[in-house]
Amino acid sequence: MINRRSFIKTTAAGIALTALPNVVLGAGKKSPLRFKSSVYEDVNYDVVVVGAGASGIPAAIAAARQGAKVALIDEDPVPGGAPVDMYVSYMCGGPRIGIFKEMLQGLNANAMFPDPTFGEDGGNGKSHWWHPTNFLQVIMQMLMEEPNISLIMNAPAIDVVLSNNKVTGVVVLRNGSLQNIKGKVTIDATGIGLISEKAGCEIMFGAEAKSDYNEPYGVETASSRVQPCTQMFISHRVKAGAVLPIGHLERISIAEDQYGWLKENAENQGDDPVSGGWQQRDSGIYLHWGYGQHYIDTRDPQAVAASQLWCLDKLKNDIRTLSEAGFAVELAPKIGIRECRRVKGEYVLTANELKAGWMPEDRIATSNYMLDSWSVSMTKEEKTVPLYGIPYRSLIPLGVEGLLTAGRIISGTSLAASSYRVQPPCAAIGQAAGIAASMAAFNQTSVRNIPMEDFKCELIRNGLYKTSGK
Ligand SMILES: Cc1cc2nc3c(=O)[nH]c(=O)nc-3n(C[C@H](O)[C@H](O)[C@H](O)COP(=O)(O)OP(=O)(O)OC[C@H]3O[C@@H](n4cnc5c(N)ncnc54)[C@H](O)[C@@H]3O)c2cc1C
């Protein structure tokens, strides 16, 4: 266990050491985008993971543990993805296995409010949230323990490197210059599918009509509607004795430290959600789902920024109310984007397979979270799904070589994705993608031709091959 001071020291040194040795400035080279500064020389890895979020971190760790040299790239200054940059630090769904389980164990051990009873499976009613600081501390520690990973932060990937129609890496904007970060296999774990779009993959965006894939529920006509964006925030008691002014807030979607969804908990316990029950636990730290906006074109940064401004404006009263009551508010730096591009793959997963508990031969992960679509009105029973499998084919983009997808962008309908988009399945998908990518890199084969029996053995060895239970 490391203390805070040595953590910060080691983290900073770790990042510097992993990022710097590969850097050689190619003085005088001209950038294709007419950047005035020099460009960095190409660097080569076995596996390049773009996006250090819920799926990208397990992907990088899994590939590194297979012995692959891995570049883990993110546009953010720190890794973490949605739990850190959007404050989506509430984890629901399951199963909680593999590297995700290791992360939970780290969180339970390091949390500000330790709760060793946090559930391994999604179905035991224990959905908790962790402060993004705890989250960052745990994932940084996990990444530091992997010498095969070069962490490259503050480096948006803006294009792919293509060689004979095969993706052989990405172009990043690094310190104001361009750099080709090359890999035998690239994993798009961006949550927004930008890398796949740049690679020429077929992109799915918005809600399919239910007739498109013969799904049991859905909208009648296909549209560009995606799930809403939400501005998350955290409130902390800073004035002794202050009580959360719940009855005076306009938005009361709130979770208290690690005890889950307060309103639901209170109702389950027969308490009044406003006056009793959860308030008596009185932890003084709360996660808030602030205002959200529907149907934003989440591919467009200007539309996303406008949505964030709108949400922040709507939140002004609640922030003032909290502040007057003695609570400080921390806004998530990015507005939460639930849905963006999905990448059409060799298999398009639909709600039909989810409802049937399908376990395909080439399954690489499982999920048991409900169909959680915001645009389709469904009963609780209709939303419920059993444990179902995610086929490897959904990670392989149609007609494109050298690329795998991971996380919420894999190939499925909008309705199906509303289930596996939560963090435990995204992490398992990422871990499997990392294993597959390293196998393709070592065998010098296409991601389509990895030895499936060996792959399955690795999935089992890594605790990912769960086929029953919650
Ligand atoms: C408001 C909201 C509420 C949610 N509620 C829950 C919940 O309660 N429980 C739950 O389990 N899940 C929840 N989710 C879903 C879950 O958080 C996400 O679906 C999940 O994090 C997706 O994982 P990912 O790896 O695909 O993407 P992310 O976790 O978003 O990671 C993507 C990473 O890629 C980086 N990136 C993007 N583009 C580039 C680029 N061009 N170059 C370099 N880096 C790039 C991003 O900075 C980010 O770090 C919620 C999501 C939102 C937005």
Side-chain angles (χ1 to χ4, degrees):
M1 179 95 148
I2 52 171
N3 63 29
R4 186 176 166 275
R5 184 181 292 263
S6 66
F7 166 73
I8 292 168
K9 257 168 82 177
T10 2
T11 305
I15 293 170
L17 284 175
T18 49
L20 283 178
N22 301 313
V23 175
V24 185
L25 284 174
K29 277 199 180 174
K30 285 229 170 88
S31 144
L33 294 184
R34 300 197 311 183
F35 276 52
K36 288 215 172 105
S37 48
S38 52
V39 290
Y40 290 84
E41 283 193 350
D42 297 1
V43 282
N44 293 288
Y45 292 88
D46 296 312
V47 177
V48 172
V49 181
V50 189
S55 63
I57 291 171
I61 293 176
R65 287 181 184 171
Q66 296 285 317
K69 293 282 176 205
V70 182
L72 177 59
I73 301 165
D74 206 288
E75 64 186 7
D76 283 352
V78 289
V84 172
D85 62 19
M86 298 173 185
Y87 286 8
V88 183
S89 48
Y90 184 92
M91 315 220 176
C92 45
R96 294 157 186 197
I97 50 183
I99 290 170
F100 188 80
K101 187 169 161 184
E102 288 174 40
M103 189 187 73
L104 292 186
Q105 286 162 348
L107 283 164
N108 277 334
N110 290 302
M112 290 175 185
F113 313 94
D115 183 348
T117 62
F118 186 86
E120 228 176 73
D121 289 316
N124 65 359
K126 292 186 185 301
S127 289
H128 299 167
W129 73 280
W130 279 273
H131 195 284
T133 299
N134 286 143
F135 198 88
L136 182 58
Q137 185 186 23
V138 169
I139 54 171
M140 281 297 215
Q141 179 66 45
M142 289 176 79
L143 290 170
M144 274 191 285
E145 284 163 10
E146 302 296 340
N148 281 348
I149 297 180
S150 296
L151 195 56
I152 305 171
M153 298 289 106
N154 267 323
I158 56 171
D159 207 348
V160 288
V161 183
L162 281 174
S163 170
N164 297 327
N165 280 333
K166 181 182 171 195
V167 176
T168 55
V170 290
V171 184
V172 300
L173 188 56
R174 179 170 179 162
N175 199 23
S177 297
L178 300 178
Q179 183 176 32
N180 291 339
I181 301 192
K182 291 180 153 181
K184 293 172 185 147
V185 178
T186 299
I187 300 177
D188 183 348
T190 56
I192 57 169
L194 183 69
I195 300 308
S196 304
E197 186 173 85
K198 291 281 177 186
C201 299
E202 191 174 330
I203 297 298
M204 304 166 80
F205 185 82
E208 290 79 20
K210 66 178 177 181
S211 57
D212 287 348
Y213 289 90
N214 292 321
E215 289 184 299
Y217 327 104
V219 291
E220 296 301 328
T221 314
S223 81
S224 58
R225 292 177 167 194
V226 291
Q227 296 200 335
C229 295
T230 301
Q231 177 65 52
M232 307 285 294
F233 65 97
I234 291 170
S235 67
H236 289 257
R237 179 188 296 124
V238 286
K239 197 168 129 200
V243 175
L244 196 74
I246 187 90
H248 302 280
L249 295 175
E250 290 167 10
R251 288 276 305 158
I252 53 161
S253 293
I254 307 170
E256 184 191 26
D257 60 50
Q258 300 186 7
Y259 292 94
W261 192 256
L262 294 186
K263 191 161 175 290
E264 234 169 62
N265 275 1
E267 279 163 1
N268 289 342
Q269 292 159 18
D271 293 325
D272 175 72
V274 173
S275 60
W278 60 269
Q279 268 204 34
Q280 288 160 19
R281 279 201 291 271
D282 201 22
S283 69
I285 180 161
Y286 306 91
L287 178 68
H288 300 245
W289 282 250
Y291 277 97
Q293 214 179 19
H294 279 261
Y295 316 134
I296 306 305
D297 184 349
T298 49
R299 296 163 297 191
D300 176 10
Q302 197 170 350
V304 171
S307 177
Q308 186 161 33
L309 288 177
W310 183 88
C311 291
L312 290 176
D313 192 49
K314 291 279 285 178
L315 277 176
K316 270 195 312 216
N317 289 344
D318 278 355
I319 293 173
R320 191 178 313 112
T321 305
L322 282 161
S323 155
E324 284 168 3
F327 286 80
V329 167
E330 293 167 25
L331 292 168
K334 287 181 176 173
I335 188 168
I337 295 177
R338 284 188 179 79
E339 186 180 355
C340 193
R341 301 172 188 85
R342 285 163 284 119
V343 182
K344 197 165 201 175
E346 296 204 333
Y347 194 90
V348 180
L349 200 53
T350 74
N352 296 313
E353 290 91 298
L354 274 54
K355 289 293 285 181
W358 187 50
M359 287 289 168
E361 262 304 298
D362 64 338
R363 66 188 167 276
I364 46 90
T366 44
S367 167
N368 64 6
Y369 188 61
M370 64 178 171
L371 294 170
D372 191 12
S373 168
W374 292 63
S375 34
V376 184
S377 162
M378 292 162 69
T379 63
K380 196 172 176 189
E381 202 192 331
E382 287 169 341
K383 287 180 176 183
T384 305
V385 294
L387 190 77
Y388 63 88
I390 291 169
Y392 180 50
R393 284 163 290 166
S394 286
L395 280 59
I396 305 176
L398 263 184
V400 173
E401 281 297 339
L403 184 66
L404 284 173
T405 57
R408 66 180 175 204
I409 67 165
I410 65 162
S411 177
T413 62
S414 175
L415 188 56
S418 73
S419 164
Y420 58 72
R421 74 180 173 93
V422 288
Q423 293 177 48
C426 279
I429 294 167
Q431 187 172 350
I435 296 171
S438 58
M439 290 181 99
F442 291 143
N443 287 313
Q444 300 195 12
T445 182
S446 155
V447 292
R448 289 167 166 78
N449 296 330
I450 57 169
M452 285 306 282
E453 275 311 307
D454 293 353
F455 185 28
K456 186 171 164 183
C457 287
E458 276 307 295
L459 296 173
I460 293 169
R461 200 176 66 78
N462 282 276
L464 286 176
Y465 214 68
K466 192 175 164 81
T467 54
S468 60
K470 289 269 187 180

PDB file of all heavy atoms in Angstrom, residues 305-316:
ATOM      1  N   ALA A 305     -20.927  20.693 -26.127  1.00  0.00           N
ATOM      2  CA  ALA A 305     -20.593  21.847 -25.281  1.00  0.00           C
ATOM      3  C   ALA A 305     -21.851  22.677 -24.999  1.00  0.00           C
ATOM      4  O   ALA A 305     -22.073  23.121 -23.862  1.00  0.00           O
ATOM      5  CB  ALA A 305     -19.529  22.706 -25.957  1.00  0.00           C
ATOM      6  N   ALA A 306     -22.677  22.857 -26.016  1.00  0.00           N
ATOM      7  CA  ALA A 306     -23.910  23.634 -25.824  1.00  0.00           C
ATOM      8  C   ALA A 306     -24.814  22.925 -24.813  1.00  0.00           C
ATOM      9  O   ALA A 306     -25.451  23.567 -23.974  1.00  0.00           O
ATOM     10  CB  ALA A 306     -24.631  23.797 -27.163  1.00  0.00           C
ATOM     11  N   SER A 307     -24.835  21.614 -24.881  1.00  0.00           N
ATOM     12  CA  SER A 307     -25.661  20.855 -23.952  1.00  0.00           C
ATOM     13  C   SER A 307     -25.145  21.011 -22.523  1.00  0.00           C
ATOM     14  O   SER A 307     -25.923  21.173 -21.569  1.00  0.00           O
ATOM     15  CB  SER A 307     -25.636  19.380 -24.365  1.00  0.00           C
ATOM     16  OG  SER A 307     -26.357  18.622 -23.474  1.00  0.00           O
ATOM     17  N   GLN A 308     -23.830  20.992 -22.386  1.00  0.00           N
ATOM     18  CA  GLN A 308     -23.253  21.162 -21.045  1.00  0.00           C
ATOM     19  C   GLN A 308     -23.599  22.551 -20.495  1.00  0.00           C
ATOM     20  O   GLN A 308     -23.963  22.696 -19.331  1.00  0.00           O
ATOM     21  CB  GLN A 308     -21.738  20.940 -21.068  1.00  0.00           C
ATOM     22  CG  GLN A 308     -21.137  20.964 -19.660  1.00  0.00           C
ATOM     23  CD  GLN A 308     -19.776  20.314 -19.582  1.00  0.00           C
ATOM     24  OE1 GLN A 308     -19.004  20.366 -20.534  1.00  0.00           O
ATOM     25  NE2 GLN A 308     -19.455  19.706 -18.449  1.00  0.00           N
ATOM     26  N   LEU A 309     -23.523  23.571 -21.349  1.00  0.00           N
ATOM     27  CA  LEU A 309     -23.873  24.927 -20.903  1.00  0.00           C
ATOM     28  C   LEU A 309     -25.331  24.980 -20.445  1.00  0.00           C
ATOM     29  O   LEU A 309     -25.658  25.560 -19.413  1.00  0.00           O
ATOM     30  CB  LEU A 309     -23.654  25.935 -22.047  1.00  0.00           C
ATOM     31  CG  LEU A 309     -22.205  26.251 -22.407  1.00  0.00           C
ATOM     32  CD1 LEU A 309     -22.159  27.194 -23.608  1.00  0.00           C
ATOM     33  CD2 LEU A 309     -21.462  26.857 -21.223  1.00  0.00           C
ATOM     34  N   TRP A 310     -26.182  24.339 -21.224  1.00  0.00           N
ATOM     35  CA  TRP A 310     -27.619  24.327 -20.899  1.00  0.00           C
ATOM     36  C   TRP A 310     -27.831  23.655 -19.529  1.00  0.00           C
ATOM     37  O   TRP A 310     -28.558  24.175 -18.676  1.00  0.00           O
ATOM     38  CB  TRP A 310     -28.374  23.579 -22.000  1.00  0.00           C
ATOM     39  CG  TRP A 310     -29.864  23.568 -21.826  1.00  0.00           C
ATOM     40  CD1 TRP A 310     -30.753  24.499 -22.277  1.00  0.00           C
ATOM     41  CD2 TRP A 310     -30.632  22.560 -21.148  1.00  0.00           C
ATOM     42  NE1 TRP A 310     -32.034  24.141 -21.912  1.00  0.00           N
ATOM     43  CE2 TRP A 310     -31.988  22.955 -21.222  1.00  0.00           C
ATOM     44  CE3 TRP A 310     -30.320  21.377 -20.493  1.00  0.00           C
ATOM     45  CZ2 TRP A 310     -33.023  22.206 -20.672  1.00  0.00           C
ATOM     46  CZ3 TRP A 310     -31.350  20.626 -19.924  1.00  0.00           C
ATOM     47  CH2 TRP A 310     -32.673  21.039 -20.019  1.00  0.00           C
ATOM     48  N   CYS A 311     -27.179  22.512 -19.343  1.00  0.00           N
ATOM     49  CA  CYS A 311     -27.350  21.770 -18.083  1.00  0.00           C
ATOM     50  C   CYS A 311     -26.810  22.579 -16.903  1.00  0.00           C
ATOM     51  O   CYS A 311     -27.435  22.627 -15.834  1.00  0.00           O
ATOM     52  CB  CYS A 311     -26.627  20.423 -18.149  1.00  0.00           C
ATOM     53  SG  CYS A 311     -27.384  19.273 -19.283  1.00  0.00           S
ATOM     54  N   LEU A 312     -25.671  23.210 -17.103  1.00  0.00           N
ATOM     55  CA  LEU A 312     -25.082  23.984 -15.998  1.00  0.00           C
ATOM     56  C   LEU A 312     -25.977  25.160 -15.634  1.00  0.00           C
ATOM     57  O   LEU A 312     -26.150  25.493 -14.461  1.00  0.00           O
ATOM     58  CB  LEU A 312     -23.672  24.469 -16.377  1.00  0.00           C
ATOM     59  CG  LEU A 312     -22.624  23.365 -16.458  1.00  0.00           C
ATOM     60  CD1 LEU A 312     -21.288  23.921 -16.941  1.00  0.00           C
ATOM     61  CD2 LEU A 312     -22.445  22.690 -15.094  1.00  0.00           C
ATOM     62  N   ASP A 313     -26.557  25.766 -16.652  1.00  0.00           N
ATOM     63  CA  ASP A 313     -27.454  26.889 -16.394  1.00  0.00           C
ATOM     64  C   ASP A 313     -28.668  26.415 -15.577  1.00  0.00           C
ATOM     65  O   ASP A 313     -29.065  27.051 -14.604  1.00  0.00           O
ATOM     66  CB  ASP A 313     -27.883  27.495 -17.739  1.00  0.00           C
ATOM     67  CG  ASP A 313     -28.566  28.823 -17.545  1.00  0.00           C
ATOM     68  OD1 ASP A 313     -27.993  29.659 -16.817  1.00  0.00           O
ATOM     69  OD2 ASP A 313     -29.672  29.020 -18.077  1.00  0.00           O
ATOM     70  N   LYS A 314     -29.202  25.245 -15.971  1.00  0.00           N
ATOM     71  CA  LYS A 314     -30.361  24.705 -15.245  1.00  0.00           C
ATOM     72  C   LYS A 314     -30.007  24.348 -13.805  1.00  0.00           C
ATOM     73  O   LYS A 314     -30.870  24.334 -12.932  1.00  0.00           O
ATOM     74  CB  LYS A 314     -30.863  23.435 -15.947  1.00  0.00           C
ATOM     75  CG  LYS A 314     -31.493  23.653 -17.291  1.00  0.00           C
ATOM     76  CD  LYS A 314     -32.927  24.114 -17.201  1.00  0.00           C
ATOM     77  CE  LYS A 314     -33.870  23.001 -16.811  1.00  0.00           C
ATOM     78  NZ  LYS A 314     -35.260  23.489 -16.692  1.00  0.00           N
ATOM     79  N   LEU A 315     -28.728  24.044 -13.570  1.00  0.00           N
ATOM     80  CA  LEU A 315     -28.313  23.599 -12.232  1.00  0.00           C
ATOM     81  C   LEU A 315     -28.012  24.749 -11.280  1.00  0.00           C
ATOM     82  O   LEU A 315     -27.751  24.516 -10.099  1.00  0.00           O
ATOM     83  CB  LEU A 315     -27.045  22.736 -12.345  1.00  0.00           C
ATOM     84  CG  LEU A 315     -27.247  21.265 -12.686  1.00  0.00           C
ATOM     85  CD1 LEU A 315     -25.903  20.579 -12.867  1.00  0.00           C
ATOM     86  CD2 LEU A 315     -28.041  20.574 -11.583  1.00  0.00           C
ATOM     87  N   LYS A 316     -28.021  25.963 -11.809  1.00  0.00           N
ATOM     88  CA  LYS A 316     -27.592  27.113 -10.989  1.00  0.00           C
ATOM     89  C   LYS A 316     -28.323  27.167  -9.647  1.00  0.00           C
ATOM     90  O   LYS A 316     -27.703  27.352  -8.607  1.00  0.00           O
ATOM     91  CB  LYS A 316     -27.845  28.414 -11.770  1.00  0.00           C
ATOM     92  CG  LYS A 316     -26.673  28.834 -12.607  1.00  0.00           C
ATOM     93  CD  LYS A 316     -26.723  30.250 -13.100  1.00  0.00           C
ATOM     94  CE  LYS A 316     -28.030  30.650 -13.705  1.00  0.00           C
ATOM     95  NZ  LYS A 316     -27.970  31.563 -14.831  1.00  0.00           N
TER      96      LYS A 316
END
